[in-house]
Amino acid sequence: MPTCLPLVLRRCHACASERFRADGKFRVNAHHKLIDAWLLVLCTVCGDTAKLTVLERTNVRSVRPELLDRLHDNDPVLAAELLRDPVVRRRNRIALDWDGAWRLDTGGPGDLDREAIEVSVCFAARIPVRPVRLIAEGCALSRAEAERLTAEGRLVSAVRLSGRLSDDFTFTLKR
Ligand SMILES: [Zn+2]
């Protein structure tokens, strides 16, 4: 589950840093019947502000009033939703850095020390993670142990555990 907003990967024109932080502030500019809206992001090194386009010369009547309210209220939940929207990311040519912006909730110790367990992993947001790392952390294994168990066929899943994943999956672990 996310713990905070991910960093935005984008080149800073002022200092050539590549990481920006969104703090949930928006700028809205209405001109006659047209509206522009941006999500503001700050360079993590020099503090320079960049604008990510949310609405571009859009007829104000075609914008849901609820969305307008959230833009004007600088709704941080809206900022999170927009950053997770692939359309917004593509339009602004940004990627996200989720390092340190999520945590694994195992729901307590449970039956993790049983001989064989089947576990469902549910993503609260589409956060790209390495399943092996997640499993190692959740089952109190070292990464090397998790990799050895995979090689020995005692850690199995329908998904490829060595890649990156952001969709729900299940795995079985036999110690
Ligand atoms: Zn900068």
Side-chain angles (χ1 to χ4, degrees), residues 111-117 173-175:
D111 299 324
L112 286 178
D113 53 356
R114 288 234 306 254
E115 207 172 295
I117 51 169
L173 172 64
K174 296 189 192 104
R175 295 194 198 237

Side-chain angles (χ1 to χ4, degrees), residues 4-26:
C4 59
L5 293 176
L7 291 180
V8 172
L9 297 174
R10 181 185 205 275
R11 194 167 195 85
C12 175
H13 293 301
C15 79
S17 151
E18 288 182 345
R19 278 172 170 68
F20 283 76
R21 192 181 57 247
D23 56 4
K25 295 266 189 305
F26 294 89

